[in-house]
Amino acid sequence: MSKIITGFSKMTKQEKIDWLTDNFFINPIRAKETLQQYFNEDRVLQELHDDFIENTLSNFYMPYGVAPNFVINGKDYAVPMVVEESSVVAAASLVAKFWSSRGGFKTSIISTTKVGQIHFMYKGDADGLQFYFDKIKPQLLRATESITKNMRQRSGGIIDFELRNKTKELANYYQIHVTFNTQDSMGANFINSCLEAIADEFKRSDIEIVMSILSNYVPECLVRAEVSCPVTDLYEKDAKRYAKKFIQAINIADVEPYRAVTHNKGIMNGIDAVVLATGNDFRAVEAGVHAFASRDGQYKSLSHAEIKDGIFKFWMDIPLALGTVGGLTKLHPLAKLSLELLDNPSAEELMQITATAGLAQNFAALRALTTTGIQKGHMKLHLNNIIKQLDASEKEKVFLIKYFENKTISHNAVVEKYREMRSRK
Ligand code: MEV
């Protein structure tokens, strides 16, 4: 029987659930119960979430945690993180505390420019097109005035735009490349509206506008985060050797893309968690960051480290187009709460906090990888998740945690120990 449906979006939530569970589940009652279990009893709150997207059926919980003890440019922060991976918040908290007694994190904004492009096809003479563009440029700007009014009052808006000839890359392809300052908003809607207004004014019968859209590649919306301390303050034993190993790990990520991707994934563990907690667009951030990591033609480490005159320095420049107004930032009650927890930062401040969380995460991963190995800490935290799947009693849980304190943890080992324990009863 066909499962293709017309008018699904017009059904009520209950009708959607009924149709879906009846058509796609062996046990529709159980599926319905699972979906309903996550409904919020607060009707207003539920309706707010329902309206974020189309066809909302339920809510999908992610843990909302916090990593305290971050010192960033001398100011103390507890950083909100939304993430499902058990070790991420623990690692961030540990590293935040570690650096809090070593001068904390230092951050700075390198640039905040965002980009949008109007892509179009033109078969005529390139000089003629340039002439037309130069002539109409003030008119194009005027076409955006009503959209940019508020942004201009906040010293943002369109920075500049230029005609780019891309016909060497693709026949007849040109673009208007527009740069923006969107102040405290991420600016996607603002940029796209400006671009569409410009394109509308620019179009001619011999100019075929293909599309007008912001770019999530933001190499000029860049923030730096760094830490430094005497090498000898880094590790209790053999500090120099371990610091060198740490740097080697980064050098490896610089030349080996297989490693670089995992290395940067560790950074994104911290970045995405803050981006999500503050209601920002993590897909945009992910896309932009990874493109930046391959800007030299090879995918490389985003972070860097060196030892100079006995001082260990670890830093990262990362593109982060974030907002603290607009989008979900003030609409989602928990995103709003996150921003309040961070003392209602500007977009630039949020970029700095988020970059710090990424650098902290990378520090935690590299330190573990080059010393004890990652599994020791990781599996210790994962042990709880394994035990949960076993239906163990509180007493059994305490026993298993104690038993695995000094042993290698694996899913199999825990299940075996649990079975052995049960069979002895
Ligand atoms: C796991 O989520 C992240 C790490 O793999 C990062 C890394 O290898 O650097 C531990």
Side-chain angles (χ1 to χ4, degrees):
M1 205 180 70
S2 167
K3 291 174 183 172
I4 303 302
I5 184 168
T6 307
F8 184 73
S9 67
K10 307 240 161 33
M11 288 176 165
T12 65
K13 189 196 275 187
Q14 195 53 54
E15 285 166 349
K16 284 174 191 154
I17 290 175
D18 289 344
W19 182 81
L20 268 168
T21 49
D22 287 346
N23 281 284
F24 290 90
F25 291 86
I26 296 166
N27 187 342
I29 293 175
R30 202 177 56 202
K32 258 180 221 156
E33 279 169 3
T34 305
L35 286 167
Q36 280 161 3
Q37 206 177 6
Y38 288 94
F39 286 1
N40 200 302
E41 279 173 17
D42 180 334
R43 197 176 51 82
V44 177
L45 194 66
Q46 186 55 61
E47 279 173 11
L48 176 79
H49 284 77
D50 287 352
D51 289 345
F52 286 158
I53 61 165
E54 191 162 275
N55 298 341
T56 306
L57 300 181
S58 188
N59 306 300
F60 189 99
Y61 286 0
M62 290 270 280
Y64 180 96
V66 68
N69 299 323
F70 270 100
V71 179
I72 307 173
N73 299 336
K75 183 169 170 176
D76 300 346
Y77 288 95
V79 176
M81 300 179 99
V82 171
V83 63
E84 87 301 343
E85 191 173 325
S86 50
S87 56
V88 170
V89 175
S93 309
L94 217 71
V95 169
K97 187 81 184 286
F98 178 88
W99 283 105
S100 69
S101 58
R102 289 166 179 79
F105 291 81
K106 306 274 184 301
T107 59
S108 55
I109 295 292
I110 298 170
S111 48
T112 55
T113 302
K114 289 162 192 165
V115 167
Q117 296 170 319
I118 298 157
H119 306 272
F120 66 95
M121 297 297 173
Y122 172 72
K123 288 191 181 141
D125 161 55
D127 290 340
L129 183 68
Q130 185 67 53
F131 181 79
Y132 169 63
F133 175 77
D134 291 340
K135 199 175 100 197
I136 202 173
K137 200 172 170 186
Q139 208 173 310
L140 299 181
L141 202 59
R142 268 200 303 280
T144 65
E145 265 173 8
S146 62
I147 306 167
T148 59
K149 188 167 175 249
N150 286 343
M151 194 63 90
R152 277 185 284 123
Q153 273 164 9
R154 289 182 268 140
S155 309
I158 294 174
I159 301 170
D160 199 6
F161 51 103
E162 62 182 35
L163 177 68
R164 291 191 173 176
N165 185 335
K166 306 290 278 184
T167 52
K168 281 206 181 92
E169 287 95 329
L170 181 68
N172 308 322
Y173 171 38
Y174 293 83
Q175 55 182 232
I176 300 178
H177 184 94
V178 192
T179 45
F180 296 88
N181 176 335
T182 62
Q183 292 294 0
D184 283 334
S185 69
M186 190 264 191
N189 284 329
F190 171 75
I191 292 175
N192 291 336
S193 300
C194 288
L195 294 172
E196 287 184 7
I198 295 171
D200 224 34
E201 194 69 26
F202 184 68
K203 70 175 184 246
R204 242 174 30 179
S205 58
D206 56 349
I207 289 172
E208 189 199 3
I209 306 283
V210 178
M211 58 191 160
S212 308
I213 186 76
L214 93 163
S215 172
N216 291 123
Y217 185 43
V218 282
E220 277 154 25
C221 187
L222 209 56
V223 52
R224 170 168 296 183
E226 64 179 76
V227 283
S228 63
C229 72
V231 176
T232 43
D233 285 359
L234 268 181
Y235 300 89
E236 277 164 25
K237 279 190 256 158
D238 238 350
K240 258 191 200 139
R241 186 165 79 86
Y242 279 120
K244 277 191 183 148
K245 240 178 126 178
F246 187 101
I247 293 173
Q248 265 160 4
I250 294 182
N251 294 341
I252 289 168
D254 265 338
V255 299
E256 171 52 65
Y258 276 97
R259 173 56 203 151
V261 171
T262 317
H263 177 99
N264 290 344
K265 187 271 183 185
I267 293 171
M268 298 316 286
N269 276 344
I271 302 275
D272 281 341
V274 182
V275 171
L276 266 168
T278 55
N280 273 279
D281 182 344
F282 63 94
R283 289 87 55 211
V285 168
E286 282 280 343
V289 166
H290 295 298
F292 183 75
S294 37
R295 67 195 179 284
D296 298 336
Q298 182 182 317
Y299 191 92
K300 287 183 178 175
S301 164
L302 288 159
S303 60
H304 315 277
E306 65 175 25
I307 300 171
K308 232 184 198 169
D309 304 327
I311 300 292
F312 169 85
K313 184 173 148 189
F314 177 47
W315 75 99
M316 171 176 78
D317 294 345
I318 190 165
L320 292 174
L322 301 177
T324 53
V325 297
L328 275 199
T329 53
K330 296 272 156 54
L331 212 54
H332 194 301
L334 279 174
K336 196 168 167 222
L337 182 107
S338 296
L339 292 172
E340 203 179 324
L341 175 65
L342 296 172
D343 198 17
N344 290 317
S346 64
E348 290 191 6
E349 284 163 341
L350 184 60
M351 285 166 73
Q352 298 176 66
I353 296 162
T354 309
T356 299
L359 191 74
Q361 216 62 46
N362 191 218
F363 183 80
L366 293 183
R367 199 166 61 152
L369 284 166
T370 54
T371 53
T372 55
I374 205 77
Q375 284 308 81
K376 195 164 174 250
H378 196 84
M379 290 310 285
K380 209 171 186 170
L381 284 158
H382 192 54
L383 179 61
N384 261 329
N385 289 342
I386 303 174
I387 294 174
K388 264 196 202 110
Q389 291 164 23
L390 295 175
D391 201 24
S393 69
E394 200 48 42
K395 210 168 147 196
E396 288 166 335
K397 187 178 155 187
V398 172
F399 173 83
L400 285 169
I401 290 172
K402 182 105 197 100
Y403 178 82
F404 280 101
E405 228 165 46
N406 302 312
K407 295 187 180 57
T408 307
I409 301 164
S410 73
H411 193 273
N412 267 355
V414 180
V415 174
E416 258 173 41
K417 189 69 205 166
Y418 172 73
R419 286 202 182 127
E420 182 196 309
M421 208 165 68
R422 283 260 157 136
S423 66
R424 268 205 255 115
K425 278 189 177 168

